[in-house]
Amino acid sequence: MPLRKSNLRLFVFGLFYLLYLIIGASIFSAIEGPQEKALVKELKEQRALFLKDHSGCISDAELEEFIVKIVRATNRGISAVRNVTSSNPNWSFGQSLFFAGTVITTIGYGRVTPLSEAGKGFCVLYAIIGIPLTLIMFTAIVERLMIPTSWFLQFMFRKLGHLYKVFHIQLLHLTVIITLVIVFFYLIPAAIYVSIEPNWNYLDAFYYCFISLTTVGLGDYIPGDSPDQPLRPLYKVATTFYLFIGLMMMMLILAVLYEIPELNIGFHFYLKSDTDEDERMRLQSSATSGQKYSKQIDEEPAPASEYQGIPSFPRPQATYQSTDGSLQQSQ
């Protein structure tokens, strides 16, 4: 059985993907490793100093038990600062709506998680139903957003079609869409978060927007987690709506990208690409045979009377891109 070209390309791509993972792991380890070691050293020094100053009232085992409880509570979204007091609980309606949104959009920060067995079970069922519903809703909305996006592309074709190739106009169209999304869903929201969050700089805010809208959801930065945050539930609701709209814009970018065949690289790894390549070779072979047949007829013309009433050789019409980039139809 011959090896499919798509399988060979997929194998090479898999090796490249593995190499990409290894390189990324090496760089992360080189950058973050020293920072972690310095933090561990500082924590050890603080712990030793604390035990030295309070050696008469607390033992190392008691301190260890206390730290474990603090860390466990922190991992579940309960802060131990300020005598464990906060203006708003983690499971108010606004906070719960924010959590539900991160579940069904697969962002999943992981900072606040269900504490009870019933909550964990309901979270599983909620995600099973909610994630497909979210994909259906996002797909339907993006399909409608593609209508004005296509109008804009046709407008660019009318204005620039006589100057540039089709691919170049599509590339410019994609660049405009990406630029608008970056400005209105990354740069401006990052500036808003900087003005609201007390401990975030602009890089932190932009990092949060990117990690969230790409559904990575690391959870190291979450808006509204400050104990002094005013209107915390409302802030969480507004952030939820931002995430929903931002995710739809990211899907819109992918939809516009997939409309450009030259940039749809993933197609070359699908099994369907083998069938399409075979069909393209067959059509090219048929076209070459047709040219030879036409050449033979031209070299040995017959009397016109012999061809009267005989229909010409049928040729399928095909749309192709000329050298100047415009779309033309073969006759």
Side-chain angles (χ1 to χ4, degrees):
M1 180 179 179
L3 180 64
R4 290 179 174 269
K5 293 181 180 180
S6 61
N7 291 338
L8 179 60
R9 288 193 292 262
L10 181 59
F11 176 76
V12 175
F13 180 76
L15 293 179
F16 171 77
Y17 189 79
L18 179 61
L19 178 63
Y20 187 77
L21 284 175
I22 295 174
I23 293 175
S26 302
I27 294 176
F28 280 125
S29 178
I31 295 176
E32 299 298 330
Q35 298 289 331
E36 181 185 14
K37 291 179 180 178
L39 187 60
V40 169
K41 181 180 178 181
E42 180 183 358
L43 191 59
K44 285 183 178 179
E45 293 175 352
Q46 291 291 331
R47 178 181 175 131
L49 182 62
F50 182 86
L51 285 175
K52 181 181 178 181
D53 295 338
H54 302 82
S55 58
C57 59
I58 189 172
S59 65
D60 183 75
E62 292 172 336
L63 177 61
E64 182 76 17
E65 183 180 359
F66 178 72
I67 292 176
V68 168
K69 292 180 179 180
I70 295 297
V71 172
R72 186 179 301 162
T74 302
N75 290 336
R76 294 195 169 192
I78 307 298
S79 175
V81 299
R82 300 196 176 185
N83 200 23
V84 201
T85 58
S86 178
S87 57
N88 291 288
N90 283 324
W91 293 101
S92 64
F93 178 77
Q95 294 270 65
S96 300
L97 181 65
F98 178 76
F99 172 78
T102 60
V103 169
I104 62 177
T105 56
T106 69
I107 296 177
Y109 292 120
R111 177 74 67 86
V112 176
T113 57
L115 304 179
S116 64
E117 299 297 326
K120 295 175 183 177
F122 176 74
C123 184
V124 172
L125 295 177
Y126 188 75
I128 290 175
I129 300 174
I131 292 175
L133 292 178
T134 303
L135 292 176
I136 293 172
M137 184 189 70
F138 281 6
T139 303
I141 294 177
V142 169
E143 182 185 21
R144 286 155 177 80
L145 290 176
M146 283 294 293
I147 296 176
T149 304
S150 301
W151 289 346
F152 179 56
L153 179 60
Q154 295 299 325
F155 172 79
M156 296 181 66
F157 278 141
R158 290 194 300 269
K159 297 298 182 180
L160 304 175
H162 63 289
L163 298 175
Y164 302 101
K165 295 182 179 180
V166 172
F167 171 69
H168 294 161
I169 298 176
Q170 289 177 316
L171 197 60
L172 178 60
H173 175 256
L174 176 63
T175 303
V176 172
I177 300 298
I178 293 177
T179 302
L180 291 176
V181 171
I182 290 177
V183 170
F184 289 100
F185 292 93
Y186 286 90
L187 300 180
I188 295 179
I192 295 175
Y193 280 125
V194 169
S195 64
I196 297 177
E197 295 293 331
N199 300 319
W200 290 16
N201 57 35
Y202 192 82
L203 178 59
D204 296 335
F206 185 87
Y207 168 81
Y208 164 76
C209 295
F210 178 82
I211 292 298
S212 298
L213 297 187
T214 53
T215 68
V216 176
L218 296 179
D220 46 352
Y221 289 93
I222 299 179
D225 273 6
S226 175
D228 296 328
Q229 180 65 55
L231 302 175
R232 190 181 184 190
L234 182 61
Y235 184 26
K236 290 285 189 178
V237 172
T239 300
T240 303
F241 280 106
Y242 159 72
L243 294 176
F244 272 74
I245 298 175
L247 289 173
M248 285 187 285
M249 293 301 105
M250 295 297 293
M251 291 184 64
L252 177 64
I253 291 178
L254 294 178
V256 175
L257 177 65
Y258 292 153
E259 290 292 322
I260 306 176
E262 293 85 351
L263 299 182
N264 193 359
I265 302 176
F267 174 79
H268 299 286
F269 305 102
Y270 305 151
L271 292 175
K272 184 180 178 181
S273 62
D274 295 324
T275 305
D276 288 352
E277 287 183 2
D278 294 339
E279 182 68 15
R280 189 181 301 109
M281 293 297 295
R282 187 186 67 81
L283 291 175
Q284 290 178 354
S285 177
S286 299
T288 304
S289 302
Q291 291 175 359
K292 292 181 180 179
Y293 175 79
S294 300
K295 183 177 180 181
Q296 183 178 2
I297 295 296
D298 294 337
E299 290 177 352
E300 300 179 1
S305 58
E306 296 184 13
Y307 291 94
Q308 292 179 355
I310 299 179
S312 59
F313 184 77
R315 297 179 61 188
Q317 294 185 350
T319 301
Y320 65 94
Q321 182 175 324
S322 64
T323 56
D324 62 353
S326 61
L327 296 176
Q328 298 183 5
Q329 193 175 55
S330 61
Q331 302 296 329

